[in-house]
Amino acid sequence: MRDSRETLTTNAFVTGYPIKHSRSPVIHGYWLKTMGIAGSYRAHAVEPENFAEFMRLLRNGESGYIGGNVTIPHKESAYRFSDCKTEIAEELGAANTLWLEDGKIHATNTDGEGFLANLDDQAAGWDNTARAGKAAVVLGAGGAARAVIQALRNRGFSEIRVVNRTLVRAEEMRHRFGERVTAHPMEALQEVMRDAGLFVNTTSLGMDGEPAPAIDFGRLVHGAVVTDIVYVPLITPILAQAQTQGRRVVDGLGMLLHQAVPGFEKWFGKRPVVDATLRKLVIDDMETHG
Ligand code: ATR
């Protein structure tokens, strides 16, 4: 018989559908190797109709996993089917990190933490504008924008101006995250830039065959940072515009790398570090495998 205790303490997954484009196995594989940990982390495709069963096997220990990451389209289901949720996940209604503890599935969401850690790492002092009472602008109001809006509110921005093509989705963000969030239509984009200290793109604008809207980043305050959570390509059309206008920009790859840290620490017991070698490894992987 297999020693189930051993397998339970060392194997983790990333699940989604499809999952083969996930970079997470490269990230965790690098940490396992460089930190000398005898564990595994692998991509495990689960079709939506089989996700409940996947969670059942995880809970009762039959899957052989100690936990793992969850991505599209399972983040909401992972939240729903888990037994204990962090406050962060509770407010988002979505989970990206699961772990087994005392026979229960625990769930959290590390996207917001990854978003903040990337900016802390790449643009130290970026949040001084929050302390100075400036607003942040978030373009987009989809699933990915939620964690960003929550994180910015928690970091102390007094106002988070959410601009979205479908206004009602921006308004939903206000209902979910409170009065510091304001909702604006696309036509208001230039106006909301005024005196803001941070600009975040969470949409695919400029990458879907349509040109990116012209944005006047000159309206932002001195020292403002422009970032994107999309990381393919690394310099998105919106970041390219901001760069041309002399703004400090941060690409979104670091968010992917940093959101992986808390999960790894939970499953394998040691906190990994995001370094330049890892970043290069993931960039090379994207160039090789698309
Ligand atoms: P994700 O989970 O990756 O955020 P999503 O929930 O589909 O994906 O959200 C995509 C976001 O990009 C939305 O804010 C979407 O605007 P709508 O809510 O109006 O759909 C935005 N988006 C995508 N393509 C866009 C386009 N061509 N013009 C403007 N906004 C766009």
Side-chain angles (χ1 to χ4, degrees):
M1 241 183 78
R2 233 164 35 162
D3 181 345
S4 63
R5 247 177 32 135
E6 189 188 333
T7 47
L8 274 178
T9 53
T10 54
N11 299 322
F13 61 83
V14 57
T15 184
Y17 195 76
I19 195 61
K20 66 175 189 291
H21 293 298
S22 172
R23 311 292 165 193
S24 294
V26 174
I27 299 170
H28 291 280
Y30 169 79
W31 285 331
L32 286 169
K33 194 168 149 209
T34 55
M35 294 167 77
I37 295 171
S40 79
Y41 181 100
R42 70 181 190 95
H44 188 135
V46 177
E47 294 180 26
E49 59 269 32
N50 295 330
F51 191 74
E53 175 65 3
F54 178 80
M55 290 290 273
R56 192 185 69 76
L57 295 175
L58 175 63
R59 181 181 293 104
N60 69 18
E62 282 178 61
S63 72
Y65 291 123
I66 186 73
N69 286 126
V70 180
T71 186
I72 294 166
H74 299 319
K75 287 186 178 187
E76 279 85 8
S77 305
Y79 168 80
R80 219 159 2 99
F81 292 129
S82 59
D83 308 305
C84 307
K85 304 136 207 289
T86 60
E87 260 178 56
I88 296 258
E90 193 94 52
E91 192 181 33
L92 289 171
N96 75 341
T97 302
L98 304 175
W99 69 96
L100 265 183
E101 208 176 296
D102 302 329
K104 292 196 166 75
I105 301 177
H106 291 245
T108 192
N109 198 305
T110 65
D111 286 335
E113 194 176 331
F115 172 76
L116 296 175
N118 182 34
L119 289 170
D120 289 339
D121 197 25
Q122 300 289 317
W126 69 276
D127 52 353
N128 287 341
T129 57
R131 285 188 275 275
K134 301 299 177 192
V137 175
V138 176
L139 182 56
R146 277 193 218 168
V148 168
I149 294 165
Q150 182 190 49
L152 292 175
R153 185 203 57 195
N154 293 351
R155 187 54 79 92
F157 278 88
S158 55
E159 186 188 356
I160 299 125
R161 300 172 183 158
V162 179
V163 182
N164 199 47
R165 175 177 62 182
T166 311
L167 183 60
V168 68
R169 290 187 90 190
E171 286 164 347
E172 279 166 18
M173 296 295 128
R174 181 179 174 85
H175 296 141
R176 187 180 286 270
F177 299 112
E179 288 183 356
R180 278 196 273 152
V181 177
T182 55
H184 309 267
M186 281 301 262
E187 302 77 63
L189 182 57
Q190 301 298 359
E191 184 51 37
V192 299
M193 301 292 282
R194 193 180 303 280
D195 296 333
L198 178 75
F199 180 92
V200 187
N201 177 48
T202 72
T203 73
S204 56
L205 266 174
M207 290 174 290
D208 46 11
E210 307 271 319
I215 303 175
D216 181 6
F217 292 102
R219 293 181 175 221
L220 299 175
V221 297
H222 180 72
V225 169
V226 176
T227 187
D228 207 312
I229 67 167
V230 176
Y231 56 87
V232 183
L234 268 187
I235 298 297
T236 62
I238 285 179
L239 286 186
Q241 271 194 63
Q243 256 176 349
T244 306
Q245 295 177 34
R247 288 295 172 177
R248 199 154 57 133
V249 307
V250 176
D251 68 60
L253 181 58
M255 176 175 173
L256 173 75
L257 306 179
H258 284 282
Q259 64 77 32
V261 169
F264 187 96
E265 186 177 19
K266 273 270 178 243
W267 311 314
F268 301 114
K270 283 190 179 150
R271 192 163 180 88
V273 173
V274 172
D275 61 19
T277 311
L278 174 61
R279 187 178 154 87
K280 182 164 182 329
L281 200 64
V282 175
I283 292 173
D284 288 349
D285 184 70
M286 293 192 301
E287 281 168 1
T288 314
H289 299 109

